[in-house]
Amino acid sequence: MIKRKVVLRFPAAVVELPFIYTLAREFDVVANILKANINPRKEGSMVVELSAEDEKYEAAVNYLQSRGIVILPLEQQIIWVEDRCTQCGACTVICPTNALWMKRPEMTVSFCSEKCVVCEQCLKACPARAVEALYLAGE
Amino acid sequence: MKQLRTIKEINEKIAKGKVVVATAEEIVSMVAEKGVEKTARQVDVVTTGTFGPMCSSGAFLNLGHTTPRMRMSKVYLNGVNAYAGIAAVDVYLGATEIPETDPANSVFPGAFNYGGAHVIEDLLSGKKVLLEATSYGTNCYPLQKLEKWITLDDIKDAYLFNPRNCYQNYNVAVNLSDRTIYTYMGILKPHLGNANYCSAGQLSPLLNDLLYRTIGVGTKIFLGGGVGYVAWHGTQHNPHAPRTEGGVPRGGAGTLALIGDLKQMSPKYLRGVSFLGYGVSMQVGVGVPIPILDEEILQFTAVSDEEILAPIVDYSEAYPQGTEEILGEVSYAELKSGTIVIRGKEVPTAPLSSYPKAKEIAETLKQWILKGEFTLTEPVAALPSAEFAVNFARQPEKE
């Protein structure tokens, strides 16, 4: 069983075709769409979680690639909005990797994105809602 | 004790631009360096500051009369209920009120993304807010339903009135249980996973005037970025709380009720915040000037983080059950270091109250006074205080 979050990039020529339907019907792939967008040039992008038996997953990936769809691994990113942060520090004791930490003795919050594992615990621990999650396609 | 100066004399110095002001942080090292006597002669005013979640806050709004006129029995601002059981078109918008459509903790832990405090922040940010009002009709007030978008400018009168702010010291919250708990002191991880405290310590207003000798009813202050006043002692004001020899309360003691014109305040110093699994609160910025009328008042302002102790309380059992049990005491100097030791375990700490913002407020108030934009006031009436003989023996005296 494979379960993976990926970003699909659809060229304009195929953007109107019902791929998700085909994935389900032909390949037994469960596609959980997290985010989808079609830009003004009619190119599509979709953040989707695909799960299927190993062989069927491989077959589904081959099928999508043969139709010109680019499949990229999903990378999530945590954005710390410094302007909204009120330096209360509530996130710093919740963050498991010290990516959000307090500079002392200044008592100001800092964020180190290299240490962040995108567990998203900070999102709701932050009373001022100064942390946001961003979904990006990795190259 | 020999009086060094009066408030009138300080105001004269402010007018002449000759006043000497220090923040409550600066005064600690000044006294350590020069001693009490010399510093007291030199410094006229010490400014304090605090910026933390203060749930007992809200605003009185007069929404202005409509045509035809309306009583307004039920009022909502962006879906948040404002109490309208007072005169026609007067309401009180409480900081912690949440929309009736918010699922609260029915899906635990609730997110509480929006509430009264956020409405206040939105109004201050110049955003449009949806006003919905209903009422029964009367001969004098016939209109029964109203829906319109308003801004702070459309509101006739708006003043912040916070029944309980500026707690003089507070608990350090921890969790002894085996599951995560969600409190007004933030998320507390199991088995002493973290310790959250909430005071500006040596910068906090009431920790610089331990027996309320200068802060009283009518004291002019920095409130939410504008000018406000102490209206009364706050709810739960408890001057008789246990104190150290130096007079510092060893837990929550005095509180202040504050008032001020919302229209001159700033969203920078009044912020809506959401505590997961608990609710909405408002971060309030307050700064109080302390006139150095004699050496005792100066000694109170010179109290440092090392000398202020806070009780460690278990929020999984002792706090909710209302037992007085504490797990020990710890100084703000230790809390600020980032870790404290409880029952032999190193526990990371988080302040909740923002020290850099508190410092910024104390510094802003200092600049207002130095520029002659802010004068000091005599209190109209004293706050209830405690009979307490302060022992300054522990304070260093260097000349």
Side-chain angles (χ1 to χ4, degrees):
Chain A
M1 191 76 184
I2 294 180
K3 192 174 186 180
R4 232 169 253 165
K5 281 183 188 160
V6 295
V7 178
L8 304 181
R9 293 250 168 91
F10 301 87
V14 300
V15 82
E16 285 171 15
L17 299 176
F19 287 104
I20 301 302
Y21 169 82
T22 311
L23 286 182
R25 189 166 167 120
E26 305 286 325
F27 301 96
D28 278 339
V29 172
V30 179
N32 182 15
I33 301 170
L34 304 172
K35 205 174 163 185
N37 181 47
I38 296 177
N39 70 21
R41 292 188 302 277
K42 285 189 80 183
E43 293 156 342
S45 72
M46 182 185 285
V47 180
V48 62
E49 187 179 63
L50 300 176
S51 49
E53 297 298 332
D54 294 15
E55 281 175 21
K56 288 182 172 170
Y57 188 93
E58 295 301 328
V61 167
N62 286 339
Y63 159 74
L64 291 173
Q65 285 172 339
S66 70
R67 298 297 188 279
I69 294 162
V70 178
I71 305 176
L72 302 163
L74 174 72
E75 279 183 14
Q76 278 168 289
Q77 205 181 318
I78 292 295
I79 309 287
W80 171 59
V81 188
E82 194 172 356
D83 282 355
R84 275 203 72 76
C85 176
T86 58
Q87 322 289 348
C88 82
C91 59
T92 60
V93 283
I94 298 302
C95 177
T97 61
N98 287 327
L100 284 156
W101 57 286
M102 275 212 114
K103 213 183 264 177
R104 298 171 196 273
E106 298 87 345
M107 304 299 287
T108 50
V109 174
S110 293
F111 177 59
C112 171
S113 58
E114 286 92 75
K115 284 187 183 174
C116 177
V117 292
V118 204
C119 70
E120 300 193 351
Q121 290 202 52
C122 49
L123 291 188
K124 285 183 172 176
C126 171
R129 297 287 185 259
V131 195
E132 291 169 4
L134 206 69
Y135 298 88
L136 299 168
E139 296 301 330
Chain B
M1 186 160 289
K2 188 177 159 251
Q3 183 160 33
L4 295 167
R5 55 183 77 79
T6 64
I7 287 172
K8 194 170 165 256
E9 284 163 358
I10 294 175
N11 283 337
E12 285 165 7
K13 284 178 94 173
I14 294 174
K16 287 182 197 149
K18 286 187 174 163
V19 70
V20 179
V21 188
T23 68
E25 188 185 64
E26 292 162 347
I27 203 75
V28 174
S29 52
M30 283 175 84
V31 169
E33 214 174 279
K34 299 177 188 167
V36 170
E37 206 188 317
K38 206 170 164 193
T39 313
R41 266 186 278 128
Q42 226 171 52
V43 177
D44 301 304
V45 183
V46 170
T47 57
T48 66
T50 183
F51 182 86
M54 304 188 198
C55 290
S56 201
S57 300
F60 277 104
L61 308 173
N62 178 287
L63 298 163
H65 282 285
T66 52
T67 34
R69 288 181 191 268
M70 184 178 186
R71 264 197 85 257
M72 298 195 188
S73 314
K74 283 260 185 274
V75 171
Y76 297 88
L77 291 159
N78 278 356
V80 179
N81 182 241
Y83 178 74
I86 35 182
V89 304
D90 276 349
V91 296
Y92 184 76
L93 176 64
T96 69
E97 189 73 40
I98 55 169
E100 283 157 16
T101 50
D102 189 308
N105 263 344
S106 54
V107 183
F108 193 75
F112 301 98
N113 284 318
Y114 198 83
H118 297 93
V119 178
I120 291 172
E121 187 188 333
D122 281 348
L123 284 169
L124 288 171
S125 309
K127 289 187 187 161
K128 279 187 180 165
V129 165
L130 180 65
L131 163 66
E132 293 166 286
T134 54
S135 185
Y136 57 85
T138 72
N139 290 144
C140 44
Y141 292 108
L143 192 64
Q144 293 182 30
K145 199 168 186 296
L146 177 76
E147 216 182 287
K148 82 190 231 210
W149 290 92
I150 58 165
T151 65
L152 188 56
D153 291 336
D154 302 318
I155 297 175
K156 195 165 180 310
D157 305 287
Y159 56 90
L160 202 67
F161 186 69
N162 303 347
R164 191 196 330 142
N165 280 180
C166 296
Y167 237 123
Q168 190 178 24
N169 210 347
Y170 210 75
N171 296 338
V172 179
V174 296
N175 176 9
L176 287 179
S177 78
D178 55 9
R179 61 180 68 180
T180 299
I181 60 171
Y182 303 90
T183 73
Y184 67 84
M185 293 291 282
I187 302 171
L188 301 174
K189 295 191 288 187
H191 305 299
L192 299 169
N194 58 305
N196 288 5
Y197 64 100
C198 191
S199 170
Q202 63 188 13
L203 266 177
S204 184
L206 289 179
L207 286 173
N208 283 285
D209 187 7
L210 300 174
L211 295 170
Y212 333 114
R213 286 200 50 211
T214 70
I215 303 173
V217 176
T219 298
K220 189 161 80 170
I221 59 166
F222 171 109
L223 178 59
V227 171
Y229 298 87
V230 174
W232 199 248
H233 55 272
T235 53
Q236 298 183 23
H237 176 74
N238 177 21
H240 305 294
R243 290 171 188 258
T244 64
E245 271 183 34
V248 184
R250 301 164 75 148
T255 66
L256 298 174
L258 305 177
I259 194 164
D261 180 13
L262 190 68
K263 293 205 176 191
Q264 31 125 3
M265 294 183 192
S266 150
K268 203 174 152 196
Y269 297 109
L270 290 178
R271 288 283 302 270
V273 283
S274 310
F275 283 95
L276 187 66
Y278 177 74
V280 167
S281 186
M282 187 157 69
Q283 287 175 327
V284 182
V286 184
V288 180
I290 315 257
I292 304 304
L293 305 179
D294 58 41
E295 287 180 14
E296 185 187 82
I297 291 170
L298 177 80
Q299 273 178 307
F300 284 152
T301 66
V303 169
S304 70
D305 283 333
E306 284 78 12
E307 298 161 90
I308 309 168
L309 301 176
I312 304 166
V313 178
D314 171 29
Y315 272 60
S316 72
E317 186 66 30
Y319 186 85
Q321 297 309 320
T323 68
E324 299 292 309
E325 196 191 336
I326 67 164
L327 301 170
E329 284 177 310
V330 66
S331 78
Y332 280 91
E334 293 169 88
L335 286 164
K336 276 191 193 163
S337 76
T339 44
I340 56 170
V341 177
I342 309 170
R343 294 185 168 177
K345 189 182 172 184
E346 280 209 353
V347 183
T349 61
L352 298 190
S353 173
S354 164
Y355 195 78
K357 281 262 202 183
K359 221 164 121 172
E360 185 183 302
I361 290 166
E363 187 58 38
T364 304
L365 186 55
K366 176 180 162 178
Q367 294 306 321
W368 284 359
I369 296 168
L370 290 175
K371 284 183 201 151
E373 295 164 3
F374 188 103
T375 54
L376 271 56
T377 51
E378 295 270 3
V380 179
L383 303 178
S385 188
E387 286 291 323
F388 196 91
V390 178
N391 179 358
F392 283 117
R394 286 167 60 238
Q395 309 263 349
E397 279 283 354
K398 284 182 228 159
E399 201 56 62

